[in-house]
Amino acid sequence: ALSNATLGDLSGMATLPQYDRGGMTPGIVHIGVGNFHRAHLAWYVHRLMQRGGASDWAIIGAGVRDHDRMMRQRLLAQDCLTTLIELDPDGGQAAEIIGPMLDYLPVEADNAALVGAMADPRIRIVSMTITEGGYYIDPDTGGLDTAHADILHDAENPARPRTAFGAMVAALRLRREAGTGPFTGLCCDNLQGNGAILRQTVVGLARLSDPDLADWIDSQCSFPNSMVDCIVPATGPIERQLARTIGVDDAAPVTHENFRQWVIEDEFCAGRPDWDLVGAEFSDSVDQFEARKIRMLNGGHQIIANIAELMGLDTISQAMENPTSH
């Protein structure tokens, strides 16, 4: 079973962390610890740690939904380690175990533990993958949906927030009062202008209860736009069995394609890891990368999917293996 105690027994089965996990200190709180996060942002932090750096950028995981409780239970049972299995088009597999996550906070109705963690001055980035539909966008105006029950609750109960954004506002209020400064809000969801959307939600929510705090957040915090890309399927019995075939009993392994891309605006108000040393790109033109991805990658992906469905195929990988579909 995967754990700190058994890492030595897994030598030869997968690439292992070469850094001292006991010497890590937190720098990032990540909300929404799903498969994509562990194959993407967490992987980039892990790769920096493998190079001997980023020991003060370890990740504290968090969630605000009931389904996050199960992931927390699984990851804490294996010391927050994750098995990543890279699948390439020729049938190859490469396994590595990553360990940049220190802890996974309890999931609470009032998000007290999450607020406390984000208020810690050691935390300089709060990142998230909460799905594209989780930002309370009004479909008619494109602005914050101020009539949503969750937003109304957090505006009326700022000390007991229900949402991730309300927790961010509460933590930033504590940081401003303590004089510990702002943090960067880093959206890793597949949204165009995702940083601007995150800013809109956080600042807009703060403005409903504390306009002065909203102005402080808007002027002091940074919310860089980013473009993310890596195909990461959901985990099921097949993926868990795949991990076992290489000798790792992991309750939540992750499979992913052999391609990643992360393009980020270099706007971090409290510092950042050197992700560019391990393949990320910093750019002032994230929108151009987004346009290229949507038009070429996502567009082609959709066309193949439509044809594959008519052919009775179930997955994109099956479609790519079938010459008739393309």
Side-chain angles (χ1 to χ4, degrees), residues 304 308 311-323 325-326:
I304 292 171
M311 295 174 61
L313 304 177
D314 296 322
T315 67
I316 288 294
S317 62
Q318 291 175 352
M320 293 300 293
E321 292 170 357
N322 189 315
S325 65
H326 51 87

Side-chain angles (χ1 to χ4, degrees), residues 40-41 43-45 47-48 227 260-264 272-283:
H40 203 262
L41 184 150
W43 179 85
Y44 282 98
V45 175
R47 295 299 293 174
L48 277 176
M227 189 210 74
R260 284 183 184 84
Q261 190 174 23
W262 194 15
V263 185
I264 323 163
R272 61 164 174 80
D274 294 324
W275 283 314
D276 50 320
L277 298 180
V278 288
E281 302 170 70
F282 289 103
S283 173

Side-chain angles (χ1 to χ4, degrees), residues 68-78 104:
D68 293 314
R69 300 177 194 274
M70 183 59 71
M71 181 63 77
R72 177 177 186 264
Q73 179 180 341
R74 289 172 177 168
L75 290 180
L76 287 181
Q78 55 195 48
Y104 198 132

